[in-house]
Amino acid sequence: MRNIALFLTYLGTRYHGWQVQKNLPTVAETVEKAAAQVVGHSVHVTGCGRTDAGVHARCYVANFRTDSTIPVDRLPYALNTHLPCDIVVTKAFEVNENFNAIGSCVRKEYTYQIYNSRLKDPFYVDRAWFYPRHLDEAVMQAAADQFVGTHDFAAVRSVGTDVKSTVRTVYYYNVERRGNLVILKVCANGFLYNMARAMAGTVVYAAEGKIKPSDIGAILDSGNRTAAGPTVPAGGLYMTHLWYDDGIDKFECGCADTFQSE
């Protein structure tokens, strides 16, 4: 059996996240059905993370096993003929037999988009969080800086999948304004359930003056979810970069920085 890795990009608006769910459309189920049609047998596709309903991926990595001999360079074209237009496979290649799209991933980057304008833009519906009051990106960056490092992130997670530890390492958290868009990019060795969205909500809380950036360390130490900011809407969140290294296969999956600006 060959172990095939896929690079994908998708809009998550019509899907209830990546993970297969009973009677609900998901990205994984859609990809599995397309792959089965191409390779001629049922497949299980392992994804690099359980993105929530409505969350997008400018890059995403998945893997599946097959005894099909179809050349990997033909797989993206074959799969895309069976996929809807909001899911696209951009690359396929063979990886070692123990490679796992989630277990072999050592770093992930998420990007959150806020459309910060007094007037809505219909082209950002389900693509960015509309926020009409002006946000001070300097205050937001000061708040974001407090998350960098190794911390217990229980205060910015939602109750969901059980994990052995809520300690994670954040490598960077950058805030940038591009016209009416405020872009938040965060990279970590792993993310808890809703962690990226709760961190973004906490950074916005600081910009609103509800907390000081310097309060965030104490909030993390407390582990108190109610002390941190809200979980912001899913439509503004994108998976944007992945790093892999399992001792055999080492590569990155990243997207061109094509976020729109005014």
Side-chain angles (χ1 to χ4, degrees):
M1 297 284 281
R2 295 189 298 164
N3 193 4
I4 306 295
L6 302 174
F7 284 7
L8 305 98
T9 182
Y10 61 81
L11 287 172
T13 307
R14 296 196 305 120
Y15 302 97
H16 288 259
W18 168 265
Q19 197 76 9
V20 174
Q21 297 184 49
K22 188 176 182 180
N23 300 322
L24 292 172
T26 65
V27 181
E29 179 185 32
T30 306
V31 174
E32 287 179 351
K33 288 181 177 179
Q37 289 179 287
V38 171
V39 302
H41 61 81
S42 62
V43 299
H44 171 70
V45 178
T46 299
C48 61
R50 297 182 63 174
T51 56
D52 298 333
V55 173
H56 316 292
R58 288 184 174 269
C59 68
Y60 192 91
V61 174
N63 72 290
F64 71 96
R65 288 171 170 78
T66 181
D67 56 10
S68 169
T69 58
I70 184 171
V72 287
D73 60 333
R74 296 183 185 178
L75 272 175
Y77 303 99
L79 288 167
N80 289 333
T81 62
H82 297 284
L83 286 168
C85 60
D86 51 7
I87 302 174
V88 176
V89 176
T90 60
K91 184 178 180 180
F93 56 101
E94 288 193 46
V95 286
N96 73 83
E97 63 178 358
N98 294 318
F99 176 89
N100 179 284
I102 189 166
S104 300
C105 186
V106 294
R107 293 190 183 193
K108 297 177 181 179
E109 179 194 81
Y110 280 100
T111 299
Y112 196 83
Q113 287 194 140
I114 303 172
Y115 189 73
N116 188 210
S117 172
R118 293 180 64 186
L119 297 175
K120 295 180 180 180
D121 185 330
F123 292 97
Y124 283 106
V125 173
D126 296 323
R127 305 288 188 273
W129 177 30
F130 171 63
Y131 190 93
R133 286 174 291 175
H134 179 74
L135 292 168
D136 186 333
E137 61 269 28
V139 174
M140 296 175 73
Q141 183 63 71
D145 288 342
Q146 307 307 307
F147 288 109
V148 177
T150 301
H151 307 283
D152 186 332
F153 286 93
V156 284
R157 67 172 290 207
S158 297
V159 176
T161 306
D162 290 334
V163 292
K164 294 180 180 179
S165 172
T166 52
V167 174
R168 298 290 186 271
T169 298
V170 170
Y171 300 107
Y172 58 80
Y173 198 174
N174 300 327
V175 180
E176 178 185 357
R177 176 177 288 277
R178 304 179 193 173
N180 288 333
L181 276 183
V182 178
I183 308 293
L184 289 71
K185 284 183 178 290
V186 58
C187 174
N189 62 354
F191 288 84
L192 303 167
Y193 182 49
N194 282 342
M195 175 175 155
R197 290 162 60 192
M199 290 170 72
T202 305
V203 167
V204 170
Y205 244 28
E208 292 174 336
K210 294 180 178 178
I211 60 172
K212 297 177 181 178
S214 57
D215 293 337
I216 291 176
I219 291 172
L220 292 177
D221 289 341
S222 74
N224 183 1
R225 178 69 189 90
T226 61
T231 300
V232 293
L237 187 63
Y238 300 73
M239 183 172 281
T240 48
H241 205 119
L242 298 156
W243 289 261
Y244 281 85
D245 186 356
D246 62 6
I248 301 176
D249 287 296
K250 183 177 182 179
F251 59 87
E252 296 180 26
C253 176
C255 67
D257 196 0
T258 56
F259 288 89
Q260 300 175 40
S261 61
E262 294 299 291

